[in-house]
Amino acid sequence: MNRKILGFVLIGVALLILPHVLTQVGTAWVRIANLAILFIFLSLGLNIVVGMAGLLDLGYVAFYAVGAYLWALLASPHFGLHLPFWIILPLGALLACIAGAVLGAPCLRLRGDYLAIVTLGFGEIVRIFMNNLSTPFNITNGPKGITGIDDVSIGSISFATTDSFFGIPFTGPVKYYYMLLALLLLIIIVNLRLQNSRIGRAWVAIREDEIAAKAAGINTWNVKLLAFAMGASFGGIAGGMFAAMQGFISPESFVLHESIIIVAMVVLGGMGNVWGVIAGALLLSFVPEILRYTVEPVQMALFGRQLVEPEVLRMLLFGAALVLTMRFRPAGIWPESRHRREMSEARGAGA
Amino acid sequence: MDIFLQQIINGLTTGSVYAIVALGYTMVYGVIQLINFAHGDVVMVGAMVAFTVIMGVVGMGLPLPPFMIVLAGVLAAIPACMAVGFLLERAAYRPLRHAPRLAPLITAIGMSIILQQVALLIWGRDPRAFPQIMDNPSFAIGGAAISAVQIAIILLSVALMAGLTWFVYRTKFGIAMRATAENVNIAGLMGIDANRVIAGTFIIAAALGAVAGVMYGTYYGIAHYTMGFILGLKAFSAAVLGGIGNLAGAMLGGLLLGLVEALGAGYIGEFTDLCRWPVVSAMLAERCAADGHVVLFGSNYQDVFAFAVLILVLVFRPSGLLGERVSERA
Amino acid sequence: MSSSVAVLLEACNVGKSFGGVQALKDVSLTIRANEIYGLIGPNGAGKTTFFNVLTGLYPRDGGEVLFDGRALDLANPYRVAEAGIARTFQNIRLFGSMTALENVMVGRHVRTRAGVFGAILRTPGQRAEEAAVKRRAQELLHYVGIPHRAEALARHLSYGDQRRLEIARALATEPKLLALDEPAAGMNATETAGLRQLIEGLRADGLTVLLIEHDVKLVMGLCDRVAVLDYGEKIAEDVPAVVQKDPKVIEAYLGGSIGG
Ligand SMILES: Nc1ncnc2c1ncn2[C@@H]1O[C@H](COP(=O)(O)OP(=O)(O)O)[C@@H](O)[C@H]1O
Ligand SMILES: [Mg+2]
């Protein structure tokens, strides 16, 4: 038990120091780490929907887009609005939550595979609107996207500039890193606490056997809607952070592939298990980055030219992750803890 | 020009293509209740292979009539797609036959991505222009025009639907297919080899998809590694509209969806032109005077119709137009 | 036991068909409070379908059900559970990758209130409720005789234990009427004897039991009254001794395998 606490403390310290180490290697790596945290955050949001409640949502990125566009519209020169983050972020969560409920309400009576396709269609509809809501009234600025989006600023500290605290320089990306880390901690706690709660058990029950769940007295429609809306609101928060961090968004960031990438992270990691999902998201965030930096030189050395672009390899990796996980480890690389508890119990009994 | 008639003609043409692709979804769904998410990408492979063969034959400069060249493309695309369909079933779906329902769907999504990326590697990132080797004369009918390609597409798909209907109701394999769709276990008791039937269904669906891919490529003059996604989604919507698992439903759904889309795209601009409606604000009046139109939603929202149809059907009549109501067994 | 004539459930003309198959034809029956009521009939007679309609899992074609003096809302299964009817399934339906304890805790859902925010904030109210849920679930596992399996995954339990777990989950909803669909199917003689004891215990604790069963000895020995379904129709309803001799019933069971 003490060892476990020590482990957590060590990981915590490492995570706190990490951005300063990464800055030494290159600021690009801090940004990569930030995006990875954002993806972990998204995966944990989707884990509530896919992992716990077993609702395959292929349009998750639509809620991410809602949050991102809300931030971009309320904090950029586009409309000349510059609201502070503590208004926009909750608003983004709320709006995404409403969008989730509105979409979910009619669709959650559908069987699982139909739900998947409908959410996918909904994601496409959102993308079409983002692309076209530039005429006759310019709301989204179409495919060109929105630029000059405000950074987060807390009091007098702007995330756009570098500040020094105790002689240590904190660049913009490093500040985002800490903010994202805080949000990540929040969603981990939410996931963990929900997992062993009345609502969390109802979600898992529905995932395991919806008919038995109904007969056991669960109002399945309500409870599914709750999962959907909660997952959506976390997507909205992530979207807002993404817009602020990048300073620029366009519909291209919110295509189907992004939804599938997040699904792949949840599925590979282990549907329903917080730590598995984190592992899956980390793996599928960093391996492509490593590929990006190694594939080209290796190919140049071997063949004298680039045969396969890193981006293609990245997508192939996601596709393969989905197919191979379902085939060989349907519960993911790190399955839900309900199983492990029993395994340790069996070990205890054997001893 | 008669816009209404023209949109009907255009809608019937795309609707024919949707119908053929939708048959692929519905046949597979009928037999194993799987949404073969990668079917749209099989269609894409068909278009791409045909494109390559047609370009190759044209490049060789053989003195063949254009019709023969396109036929060569189709004849190459069909076995290529059949092979892909067979591999999909064998390698990806069959091992998951008894897994929870979402597992094969997730696999199908993965296979869709893999097919797209492999196509990207082979045929590149840019859209490929389908060679326009056939003359494509237009004929005037009642104030609208119909092109030779449109006529060919409509006739060919009617022929394919008739052929498939004959196949399913009159051949031994077709009857085995229907028996399997009815009840795998009972079909098994009657000596039907379910594995063979399922593999065969995938192969036939893929062959139809190959033809649809060539039709689509010829009609729009373009093929792209992502074309299967939207096409597949629309065809799936068509299958659901008709009643998934029902062959006649897929055909009806495809044609209806094509019509809804064409008429919707043709008229939505007009209906959402704010200048047509009682003008409320001074600013709007000013813009109407200057531009003549303030169109809220133009034809660029065309793709929304298919998804809207999909969602409406699933919400209000999940069994589709011709499907039977089936309840899950408790 | 005080008022054994009070009516708990009254089904009136319940009908259900699947395509051409008329699985239930105007079935009416009355279950009295605190009795053990048997529902028997040949395979395919419509017994399970009656359960599915009664618990709101299948939409009915017609008919009404009065329960505890009020019309039962059959459109929503959770309302049925709320009203006080719990059931088990003929082909056991547990939440396989949840532990036995968690399965029973799910049954407490309908009698508890904690929401998402309570769970995230771990409010004192939520924590107290959660502890009570867990305690009650443990008691129920004890009651059905599998307290030592609390932490095992449901799908790893033995067949007999799974049946018991399903009963514990049903009991967790605090039902007035417990409906059991062939609970003894696939059990050996010892397990069946244990089950019989369990059901008798439930009745002694004030519950009413509706029992579908194929094991005729069990039904006849256990039930106060029995109804017989054949091709979706109720052909008899009386005390076991009378039903057993009813020529229609004997005919339905093809020459009197009943009671033999
Ligand atoms: N979901 C369903 N779909 C179609 N037919 C059904 C369904 N459920 C039951 N049936 C039919 O209803 C009849 C009664 O079945 P059931 O209630 O399961 O019988 P029992 O439980 O008495 O053995 C049978 O003919 C069965 O085939
Ligand atoms: Mg039965």
Side-chain angles (χ1 to χ4, degrees):
Chain A
M1 207 59 212
N2 273 333
R3 240 191 226 177
K4 206 169 170 186
I5 293 170
L6 187 69
F8 275 117
V9 169
L10 283 180
I11 290 174
V13 171
L15 284 175
L16 287 177
I17 301 173
L18 183 70
H20 300 285
V21 177
L22 287 179
T23 311
Q24 304 305 312
V25 186
T27 311
W29 282 97
V30 184
R31 289 182 201 279
I32 290 170
N34 285 351
L35 278 178
I37 298 179
L38 201 65
F39 269 107
I40 299 174
F41 185 90
L42 280 168
S43 309
L44 287 173
L46 189 64
N47 182 47
I48 296 173
V49 187
V50 177
M52 295 194 207
L55 306 166
L56 187 54
D57 178 358
L58 295 180
Y60 192 58
V61 81
F63 307 120
Y64 185 49
V66 165
Y69 268 85
L70 187 80
W71 186 299
L73 296 180
L74 296 185
S76 78
H78 185 62
F79 287 151
L81 293 172
H82 299 281
L83 301 185
F85 88 94
W86 51 268
I87 292 184
I88 316 177
L89 220 49
L91 212 56
L94 183 70
L95 197 67
C97 175
I98 292 171
V102 167
L103 168 75
C107 299
L108 287 171
R109 290 185 206 282
L110 299 175
R111 232 185 23 217
D113 44 1
Y114 280 12
L115 177 77
I117 302 292
V118 170
T119 50
L120 188 146
F122 176 71
E124 277 303 297
I125 289 179
V126 167
R127 201 180 57 80
I128 292 169
F129 274 87
M130 287 186 296
N131 262 317
N132 292 303
L133 278 181
S134 49
T135 59
F137 308 105
N138 190 355
I139 299 172
T140 63
N141 209 26
K144 287 200 293 290
I146 296 175
T147 51
I149 299 168
D150 297 352
D151 276 282
V152 176
S153 57
I154 301 175
S156 61
I157 304 166
S158 165
F159 280 34
T161 55
T162 303
D163 285 294
S164 256
F165 302 103
F166 315 110
I168 306 167
F170 283 74
T171 62
V174 171
K175 291 178 197 163
Y176 276 113
Y177 174 92
Y178 287 116
M179 181 163 178
L180 286 166
L181 207 58
L183 284 172
L184 183 62
L185 194 65
L186 177 81
I187 200 172
I188 290 176
I189 292 173
V190 165
N191 262 269
L192 287 175
R193 291 194 164 178
L194 281 177
Q195 210 165 31
N196 292 306
S197 73
R198 172 172 174 265
I199 301 292
R201 278 190 301 271
W203 286 336
V204 178
I206 290 172
R207 184 191 75 194
E208 294 287 305
D209 188 333
E210 188 165 350
I211 286 172
K214 278 183 187 167
I218 294 171
N219 181 345
T220 52
W221 186 74
N222 265 6
V223 169
K224 286 200 279 186
L225 195 63
L226 197 59
F228 216 68
M230 276 206 75
S233 46
F234 285 115
I237 293 175
M241 290 307 296
F242 177 74
M245 238 161 66
Q246 301 286 319
F248 161 73
I249 58 165
S250 74
E252 238 170 81
S253 305
F254 309 103
V255 292
L256 171 73
H257 278 177
E258 298 291 318
S259 288
I260 292 181
I261 287 170
I262 305 166
V263 170
M265 290 171 173
V266 176
V267 164
L268 173 70
M271 289 192 251
N273 176 27
V274 176
W275 309 113
V277 170
I278 292 175
L282 274 177
L283 210 62
L284 289 184
S285 293
F286 280 108
V287 172
E289 290 305 324
I290 294 165
L291 287 178
R292 199 193 301 277
Y293 286 95
T294 52
V295 164
E296 205 191 324
V298 167
Q299 291 189 59
M300 292 303 274
L302 285 180
F303 316 110
R305 68 198 170 93
Q306 170 148 309
L307 293 174
V308 183
E309 299 163 55
E311 179 56 26
V312 174
L313 275 181
R314 188 169 101 100
M315 288 316 296
L316 280 174
L317 182 73
F318 292 129
L322 289 173
V323 175
L324 297 178
T325 311
M326 283 299 114
R327 176 80 171 81
F328 297 108
R329 275 190 85 88
I333 48 175
W334 190 345
E336 208 179 354
S337 57
R338 293 185 161 91
H339 306 229
R340 283 186 303 118
R341 205 185 303 152
E342 194 193 31
M343 282 191 290
S344 62
E345 168 205 352
R347 237 181 282 127
Chain B
M1 194 174 83
D2 188 337
I3 294 185
F4 182 74
L5 188 59
Q6 190 61 55
Q7 293 302 61
I8 297 254
I9 292 170
N10 296 347
L12 283 179
T13 313
T14 45
S16 303
V17 180
Y18 294 160
I20 300 300
V21 183
L23 281 172
Y25 280 102
T26 230
M27 283 166 65
V28 168
Y29 197 94
V31 180
I32 52 170
Q33 285 78 50
L34 162 74
I35 298 176
N36 179 14
F37 196 81
H39 185 59
D41 301 291
V42 173
V43 175
M44 175 272 295
V45 169
M48 286 297 192
V49 168
F51 157 82
T52 306
V53 170
I54 293 172
M55 288 300 274
V57 176
V58 170
M60 282 190 288
L62 297 179
L64 285 172
F67 167 75
M68 295 294 286
I69 300 180
V70 175
L71 191 65
V74 176
L75 291 182
I78 290 177
C81 286
M82 287 169 125
V84 173
F86 177 76
L87 280 177
L88 273 181
E89 197 275 327
R90 206 48 185 272
Y93 304 143
R94 187 176 298 188
L96 300 178
R97 193 84 48 82
H98 301 288
R101 193 193 276 282
L102 285 186
L105 181 63
I106 291 174
T107 298
I109 293 166
M111 290 313 297
S112 161
I113 291 188
I114 292 174
L115 281 179
Q116 281 181 27
Q117 297 303 315
V118 170
L120 191 161
L121 281 178
I122 301 176
W123 288 288
R125 199 176 279 282
D126 298 321
R128 289 333 224 0
F130 240 73
Q132 303 292 316
I133 47 173
M134 286 197 286
D135 309 329
N136 190 10
S138 275
F139 309 97
I141 45 167
I146 184 166
S147 71
V149 167
Q150 287 182 312
I151 294 176
I153 288 177
I154 294 172
L155 289 182
L156 181 56
S157 49
V158 169
L160 283 174
M161 294 183 214
L164 186 72
T165 309
W166 172 82
F167 180 82
V168 167
Y169 284 90
R170 287 282 175 273
T171 66
K172 214 173 141 195
F173 188 85
I175 291 165
M177 228 171 99
R178 284 192 301 136
T180 308
E182 200 64 41
N183 188 325
V184 188
N185 299 327
I186 293 179
L189 290 180
M190 295 182 342
I192 293 170
D193 178 354
N195 277 338
R196 251 192 75 222
V197 169
I198 292 168
T201 306
F202 267 89
I203 291 173
I204 298 165
L208 288 172
V211 181
V214 182
M215 295 199 284
Y216 191 88
T218 316
Y219 186 48
Y220 288 103
I222 220 164
H224 189 226
Y225 77 98
T226 59
M227 68 187 259
F229 169 57
I230 290 280
L231 178 59
L233 205 51
K234 287 183 180 174
F236 177 76
S237 308
V240 170
L241 173 61
I244 193 120
N246 184 314
L247 295 182
M251 304 176 197
L252 179 69
L255 291 176
L256 275 180
L257 190 71
L259 288 175
V260 166
E261 220 181 55
L263 291 174
Y267 287 99
I268 184 174
E270 215 172 296
F271 275 111
T272 60
D273 181 354
L274 297 180
C275 299
R276 275 178 45 129
W277 306 99
V279 173
V280 275
S281 81
M283 187 197 91
L284 210 56
E286 219 169 88
R287 275 186 70 171
C288 285
D291 308 339
H293 301 285
V294 177
V295 176
L296 217 46
F297 302 112
S299 58
N300 37 1
Y301 286 89
Q302 180 178 3
D303 286 349
V304 171
F305 290 104
F307 305 131
V309 165
L310 175 68
I311 294 173
L312 290 177
V313 171
L314 283 179
V315 170
F316 292 107
R317 199 183 153 83
S319 54
L321 295 175
L322 302 185
E324 296 164 37
R325 242 193 84 92
V326 280
S327 58
E328 244 171 312
R329 266 180 187 257
Chain C
M1 261 140 283
S2 48
S3 58
S4 62
V5 282
V7 170
L8 180 65
L9 180 138
E10 193 175 350
C12 305
N13 300 324
V14 174
K16 173 78 194 168
S17 60
F18 300 100
V21 183
Q22 182 92 36
L24 293 176
K25 280 180 220 149
D26 295 332
V27 173
S28 301
L29 46 84
T30 309
I31 301 175
R32 297 172 192 156
N34 203 222
E35 74 178 338
I36 299 178
Y37 187 97
L39 186 59
I40 62 171
N43 248 329
K47 306 178 296 291
T48 299
T49 303
F50 182 77
F51 266 35
N52 287 337
V53 170
L54 178 67
T55 49
L57 292 176
Y58 283 169
R60 69 193 187 286
D61 298 341
E64 289 301 325
V65 178
L66 277 173
F67 182 71
D68 212 11
R70 253 172 285 166
L72 201 58
D73 175 5
L74 292 174
N76 290 302
Y78 75 94
R79 287 248 183 253
V80 176
E82 238 170 47
I85 299 180
R87 69 171 289 178
T88 64
F89 291 88
Q90 181 174 352
N91 47 340
I92 308 173
R93 300 188 84 131
L94 290 165
F95 309 122
S97 54
M98 295 173 100
T99 63
L101 186 69
E102 284 174 319
N103 268 271
V104 185
M105 288 169 87
V106 169
R108 295 299 299 150
H109 185 92
V110 68
R111 301 292 170 212
T112 44
R113 290 277 71 89
V116 163
F117 293 105
I120 295 173
L121 302 174
R122 289 264 160 103
T123 56
Q126 187 266 349
R127 281 205 305 242
E129 187 186 280
E130 185 76 7
V133 165
K134 194 163 181 176
R135 215 174 324 114
R136 181 78 190 123
Q138 278 161 340
E139 283 167 17
L140 284 167
L141 284 178
H142 191 84
Y143 186 89
V144 300
I146 49 171
H148 54 292
R149 303 298 279 152
E151 292 303 318
L153 290 193
R155 75 170 115 85
H156 292 166
L157 295 186
S158 73
Y159 190 79
D161 287 353
Q162 289 194 352
R163 288 254 178 239
R164 284 167 181 275
L165 178 56
E166 232 194 348
I167 293 175
R169 184 181 68 192
L171 290 175
T173 66
E174 291 174 26
K176 298 192 179 89
L177 175 72
L178 180 65
L180 304 171
D181 196 346
E182 301 202 22
M187 282 189 173
N188 60 33
T190 346
E191 286 174 322
T192 308
L195 178 75
R196 181 182 173 139
Q197 250 182 352
L198 181 62
I199 295 175
E200 276 169 346
L202 288 169
R203 189 247 289 274
D205 289 338
L207 230 67
T208 308
V209 179
L210 168 58
L211 178 69
I212 293 180
E213 193 43 73
H214 256 124
D215 186 329
V216 175
K217 259 209 323 248
L218 184 67
V219 175
M220 295 306 169
L222 200 55
C223 295
D224 301 310
R225 291 188 310 137
V226 176
V228 186
L229 282 184
D230 189 28
Y231 291 110
E233 267 178 299
K234 189 179 82 175
I235 56 171
E237 181 184 33
D238 214 318
V239 295
V242 175
V243 165
Q244 223 163 344
K245 299 203 180 74
D246 189 321
K248 269 197 293 185
V249 177
I250 294 167
E251 162 112 25
Y253 272 92
L254 288 178
S257 67
I258 200 163

